[in-house]
Amino acid sequence: MSKKTPLLPSLLPLAALGLAALLSSTAALAQEKVLRIAMTAADIPRTLGQPDQGFEGNRFTGIPLYDALTQWDLSKADAPSVMIPGLATSWAVDAKDKTKWVFKLRPGVKFHDGSDFNADAVVWNVRKVLDKDAVHFDASQVGVTASRMPTLRTARKIDDLTVELTTSEPDAFLPLNLTNLFMASPAHWQKKFDAAAGAAPADKSKAAWTAFAADASGSGPFKMTRFVARERLELAPNKTYWDAKRIPKVDRVVLLPMPEANARTAAIMSGQVDWIEAPSPDAMAAIQGRGHKIYFNQQPHVWPWQLSFAEGSPWLDKRVRQAANLCVDRTGLLKLLGGMMGLPKGTVPPGHPWWGNPKFDIRYDMAAGKKLMEEAGHSPAKPLKVKVQISASGSGQMQPLPMNEFVQQSLKQCGFDVQFDVIEWNTLFTNWRKGAKDPSANGANAINVSFAAMDPFFAMVRFTSTKTFPPVSNNWGYFGNAEFDKLIADARTSFDDKARDVALSKLHARIVEEAPFVWIAHDVGPRAIAAKVKGVVQPRSWFIDLATVSVD
């Protein structure tokens, strides 16, 4: 012992160094600014460039990881979100041939893997969803992309920073539609392809996309750092992002799929997460009692039943469709949701440039609704059976089970016998593109899929054009005729903003009058966020910008 004792003092500096390193590491971890978000999705939205899971996918894996040629301004809470330049700095339609557009591209943009964004990258990203002969064509990305920009046909490089896009017909909506085409890195994908196993190019391509999804490369403000399917996605700042105002202020974002509202509530109450989407209405007071904040705002997002016009549908009688719109007690639903919804008068509200002053007034008027139902041969004693395909949760679906059950009881008083087919959200979203005539409808003659109404195509055209019948886009119910096609053509070929608004107002008025939907609610996007999360801007948009958020 006496021989070993003199050695102990010599170990003290080493022990001190180890303790200092441990304390330093602990302090660094404690100082790491992490934002943990519980989504309504049951899985991580796809990360390979074109997300699934509805627009929650765009919100959490599209906009953070990628850029599009055009994008939404999400910086204001007190004004509607508008389209602004993204990877394109300007664009113009050809004066002589309005099927051709020229886009000028932003110089100096790099993908996360360090490769350049340029016209070749734009052409490559258009071909990935439109050109079946391209080796990198990915059928799995087509459904969520092509249906959102159905007139886009080709892309052609003019020079490194100029590209020409061609549409199948004159389409003034194209720049708005392009907010949904996210730019993935061709060079990064090529490396995955070169390393992929498989003899056939199609097999190698499929393997390359799988590898790309696990190690994505876009040009957005965040980079992917960790991905565990159905469990978590972790993002880190892109410190060299081209827009200095949107270089992230947090060290890490952790995205967690959590489809059950009660589970999300428990997660924020326990401190497991800092942010939850769509908090349960009956838990909001308790959440606020813990010092957390509830954010919400008006937004162009509709929560409807979309109705079938297929042969034999109970909704073919306009009196029935209008009656359903008169028999929903939306004020009672508002109370059920703790005030977290907007009362719809149509797809857009009165005062909107596209409003158009429709002759049919969407309101709660049980007497008028019953009268219409009686004229159509139905009553509470002789109810009309209808079946609605719905989800238990999901992107923009608000609180689908209690909301649909409330509507079911409202309509029962008016002579409707409502049945539900409850399925998983992403399956419902996929079925939405297959249509009411497809076996996936399972006998349903209405479908409850919420939708964004930010631009004319998303708000109205895809639901009322005979050119958007499934599987082209989301006209699930096959509603449309020559009158509506003419109204749409008038709007689509109006390249002057004011003239286009006039044409769209006529279209909206006729949509409300014909009632291909039961307009039930407008979402206000409630989310509960911990007080330590700063800089949150809840825009008048379905989307939100994570890049400008900070954590104390």
Side-chain angles (χ1 to χ4, degrees):
M1 289 292 294
S2 60
K3 291 180 180 180
K4 291 180 180 179
T5 300
L7 295 176
L8 291 175
S10 67
L11 294 175
L12 289 177
L14 294 175
L17 285 171
L19 180 60
L22 177 62
L23 291 173
S24 176
S25 174
T26 302
L29 287 172
Q31 291 173 9
E32 186 184 25
K33 300 180 185 302
V34 182
L35 177 64
R36 301 162 299 171
I37 300 175
M39 305 177 290
T40 67
D43 197 359
I44 302 296
R46 299 183 79 195
T47 54
L48 72 180
Q50 301 304 136
D52 61 353
Q53 300 287 346
F55 264 2
E56 190 165 43
N58 283 30
R59 181 193 288 155
F60 288 128
T61 65
I63 293 171
L65 287 168
Y66 295 92
D67 291 308
L69 294 178
T70 56
Q71 62 188 32
W72 296 103
D73 182 358
L74 305 176
S75 65
K76 302 179 182 68
D78 57 355
S81 182
V82 297
M83 184 187 69
I84 58 175
L87 292 179
T89 57
S90 64
W91 50 89
V93 67
D94 189 290
K96 294 180 180 179
D97 183 354
K98 289 188 167 51
T99 65
K100 297 185 184 301
W101 292 77
V102 173
F103 285 76
K104 294 291 185 180
L105 306 181
R106 191 176 299 279
V109 175
K110 297 282 188 180
F111 287 109
H112 297 155
D113 59 294
S115 62
D116 292 329
F117 166 76
N118 51 32
D120 290 322
V122 176
V123 173
W124 187 92
N125 277 278
V126 169
R127 294 185 70 202
K128 76 182 178 186
V129 292
L130 294 183
D131 186 356
K132 293 181 180 180
D133 293 329
V135 68
H136 64 289
F137 174 78
D138 183 13
S140 74
Q141 299 187 56
V142 173
V144 293
T145 310
S147 63
R148 295 171 176 174
M149 45 181 200
T151 64
L152 181 62
R153 289 295 176 266
T154 61
R156 181 177 68 87
K157 174 183 176 180
I158 295 176
D159 58 44
D160 282 348
L161 294 176
T162 312
V163 67
E164 178 188 79
L165 301 184
T166 304
T167 58
S168 58
E169 60 185 276
D171 187 359
F173 307 154
L174 180 69
L176 288 159
N177 298 161
L178 290 173
T179 58
N180 300 287
L181 180 61
F182 294 109
M183 297 290 148
S185 167
H188 192 62
W189 183 89
Q190 188 64 44
K191 289 181 181 178
K192 303 298 184 186
F193 180 83
D194 293 341
D203 294 332
K204 286 174 65 70
S205 178
K206 187 175 181 179
W209 277 118
T210 300
F212 188 98
D215 178 29
S217 179
S219 63
F222 288 94
K223 300 179 178 182
M224 178 193 291
T225 55
R226 186 184 178 204
F227 172 70
V228 182
R230 304 190 74 85
E231 182 180 319
R232 66 173 49 212
L233 172 66
E234 296 189 12
L235 310 176
N238 176 8
K239 294 294 188 181
T240 59
Y241 186 59
W242 56 265
D243 185 351
K245 300 187 299 297
R246 295 187 63 226
I247 294 176
K249 296 176 173 59
V250 296
D251 298 314
R252 188 159 50 105
V253 173
V254 181
L255 296 167
L256 305 165
M258 209 170 287
E260 297 299 326
N262 290 336
R264 293 193 300 276
T265 297
I268 195 167
M269 295 286 275
S270 65
Q272 180 187 349
V273 299
D274 313 299
W275 171 321
I276 66 172
E277 296 289 288
S280 179
D282 57 7
M284 287 188 186
I287 290 171
Q288 290 174 302
R290 292 287 184 92
H292 305 313
K293 297 181 180 181
I294 304 293
Y295 290 82
F296 63 97
N297 203 348
Q298 303 174 50
Q299 59 179 227
H301 203 265
V302 184
W303 198 94
W305 286 359
Q306 186 176 355
L307 309 177
S308 170
F309 288 75
E311 184 179 356
S313 171
W315 302 104
L316 291 174
D317 190 327
K318 184 165 71 171
R319 295 170 298 185
V320 170
R321 302 194 300 272
Q322 291 186 341
N325 276 287
L326 294 172
C327 292
V328 176
D329 179 9
R330 296 172 186 81
T331 302
L333 188 60
L334 180 69
K335 292 177 182 177
L336 176 72
L337 295 176
M340 292 295 149
M341 66 168 265
L343 298 173
K345 286 289 187 179
T347 297
V348 299
H352 192 283
W354 308 339
W355 168 243
N357 198 28
K359 294 176 183 177
F360 175 61
D361 179 27
I362 297 171
R363 64 194 188 279
Y364 180 47
D365 189 335
M366 183 67 72
K370 283 183 174 180
K371 185 173 184 296
L372 285 171
M373 287 294 281
E374 288 170 2
E375 291 174 2
H378 310 289
S379 67
K382 188 183 176 183
L384 176 66
K385 291 186 177 182
V386 299
K387 186 176 182 180
V388 190
Q389 198 165 72
I390 69 173
S391 67
S393 63
S395 168
Q397 294 294 87
M398 300 175 70
Q399 306 295 331
L401 292 181
M403 289 175 71
N404 274 302
E405 288 167 359
F406 184 94
V407 174
Q408 180 186 48
Q409 292 306 308
S410 270
L411 294 183
K412 184 177 182 180
Q413 301 175 57
C414 222
F416 289 91
D417 178 5
V418 179
Q419 297 178 333
F420 295 124
D421 179 27
V422 185
I423 61 177
E424 189 271 331
W425 159 239
N426 216 37
T427 303
L428 181 73
F429 192 77
T430 300
N431 291 357
W432 195 32
R433 295 190 298 273
K434 295 180 179 178
K437 298 177 183 179
D438 189 81
S440 64
N442 195 25
N445 44 61
I447 191 167
N448 172 222
V449 178
S450 62
F451 65 86
M454 301 171 295
D455 70 71
F457 179 76
F458 271 69
M460 295 182 280
V461 173
R462 59 179 171 155
F463 305 122
T464 59
S465 171
T466 61
K467 296 179 180 180
T468 57
F469 286 168
V472 175
S473 194
N474 300 118
N475 196 340
W476 179 88
Y478 295 86
F479 173 80
N481 53 45
E483 177 198 0
F484 279 85
D485 284 347
K486 175 63 166 56
L487 290 169
I488 290 166
D490 289 345
R492 188 166 244 156
T493 56
S494 296
F495 290 84
D496 173 76
D497 290 347
K498 289 184 178 179
R500 185 164 62 250
D501 285 347
V502 170
L504 290 168
S505 70
K506 294 177 181 178
L507 175 62
H508 181 260
R510 289 295 293 126
I511 292 172
V512 173
E513 289 161 2
E514 290 299 316
F517 297 100
V518 181
W519 287 271
I520 296 169
H522 282 179
D523 196 1
V524 295
R527 45 180 56 100
I529 302 179
K532 68 178 182 179
V533 181
K534 307 295 184 183
V536 177
V537 176
Q538 176 99 359
R540 292 186 188 176
S541 170
W542 170 244
F543 304 121
I544 192 166
D545 193 0
L546 302 181
T548 58
V549 173
S550 62
V551 177
D552 280 354

